[in-house]
Amino acid sequence: DTVLTQSPALAVSPGERVSISCRASEGVNSYMHWYQQKPGQQPKLLIYKASNLASGVPARFSGSGSGTDFTLTIDPVEADDTATYFCQQSWNDPYTFGAGTKLELK
Amino acid sequence: QVTLKESGPGILQPSQTLSLTCSFSGFSLSTYGMCVGWIRQSSGKGLEWLANIWWNDDKYYNPSLKNRLTISKDTSNNQAFLKITNMDTADTATYYCARRGTEASGYFDYWGQGVMVTVSS
């Protein structure tokens, strides 16, 4: 299976820019997607196919990358962005998810 | 407005079969290109994709669990189902159903709230 590696946690101050990385163990073309999950809630789609903003998602969120290295950027970070962020690939079977990056605000 | 909601037993014993129902609205699984998937989340294994079912009744399973999974649908009642046989404590998780996005890229654009399933003797 394709393993997606994410940093476990990040801490940033409101108003700053943060980049959350996801590295795939094998190429996934541009078929990488990003989700936000707050405690007690279901995941919410933010970015699909590496760089496409999902409907209703603020333009503060953006995605980039292809192949094996991908980045979710939030600029500027707001207090409400405190959450865990997951990447998911759908190029290789089976679909797999990263373990998540927990974003905390200072 | 697309919504999905999972329902299930909550608690079951090891070796039992789990039956989950996903009731959805705002789209139809009889529409070309539509697909519903099941994903679970546990503290031990994180998010794990389990299975997809398509509008044409094609089914895809995670190979690691394939011999234990059965996905099905009832198009007329806007429901999808997942059965997992021979449940174990390791299957304790929150189970989500989600609609696969319409851009044909394998992402899930709408998720249910999830149903917690505990396997315990």
Side-chain angles (χ1 to χ4, degrees):
Chain A
D1 296 1
T2 303
V3 176
L4 303 181
T5 301
Q6 297 184 247
S7 300
L10 288 171
V12 297
S13 299
E16 291 186 342
R17 170 189 173 114
V18 65
S19 293
I20 298 171
S21 65
C22 177
R23 173 164 288 177
S25 62
E26 56 188 323
V28 299
N29 199 315
S30 61
Y31 286 72
M32 186 67 79
H33 322 296
W34 291 93
Y35 302 86
Q36 176 193 65
Q37 187 178 33
K38 297 181 179 180
Q41 296 184 16
Q42 67 270 51
K44 172 189 174 184
L45 178 69
L46 297 176
I47 300 288
Y48 64 94
K49 210 173 175 188
S51 60
N52 296 279
L53 196 65
S55 176
V57 175
R60 303 184 291 105
F61 294 87
S62 62
S64 62
S66 66
T68 60
D69 290 296
F70 297 84
T71 302
L72 171 71
T73 300
I74 311 172
D75 186 17
V77 172
E78 296 184 358
D80 188 54
D81 299 334
T82 298
T84 300
Y85 293 85
F86 296 94
C87 53
Q88 176 231 331
Q89 68 82 25
S90 58
W91 182 250
N92 301 311
D93 287 329
Y95 297 171
T96 51
F97 291 83
T101 296
K102 188 173 184 179
L103 181 66
E104 297 179 342
L105 267 64
K106 296 177 185 176
Chain B
Q1 180 189 4
V2 173
T3 64
L4 304 97
K5 186 173 184 179
E6 307 85 350
S7 57
I11 299 175
L12 65 165
Q13 295 183 338
S15 80
Q16 288 187 319
T17 295
L18 172 65
S19 295
L20 296 171
T21 299
C22 174
S23 301
F24 55 85
S25 63
F27 68 98
S28 173
L29 252 182
S30 62
T31 300
Y32 177 89
M34 284 297 168
C35 174
V36 167
W38 286 93
I39 303 105
R40 69 181 179 182
Q41 185 173 30
S42 64
S43 55
K45 295 192 75 174
L47 286 161
E48 181 178 28
W49 170 75
L50 300 175
N52 283 352
I53 188 164
W54 290 82
W55 89 100
N56 61 356
D57 213 36
D58 278 351
K59 299 159 188 173
Y60 294 88
Y61 297 102
N62 190 320
S64 68
L65 290 147
K66 183 175 181 178
N67 60 348
R68 298 174 53 208
L69 301 177
T70 304
I71 193 170
S72 59
K73 62 182 173 67
D74 179 350
T75 302
S76 59
N77 286 307
N78 286 339
Q79 291 181 317
F81 310 98
L82 183 71
K83 289 187 188 295
I84 307 179
T85 60
N86 196 24
M87 291 287 284
D88 182 78
T89 55
D91 296 310
T92 293
T94 297
Y95 287 76
Y96 296 99
C97 64
R99 189 185 80 162
R100 192 178 186 268
T102 55
E103 296 279 333
S105 299
Y107 60 89
F108 296 99
D109 57 357
Y110 291 93
W111 295 59
Q113 63 190 25
V115 59
M116 179 67 192
V117 175
T118 301
V119 183
S120 175
S121 55

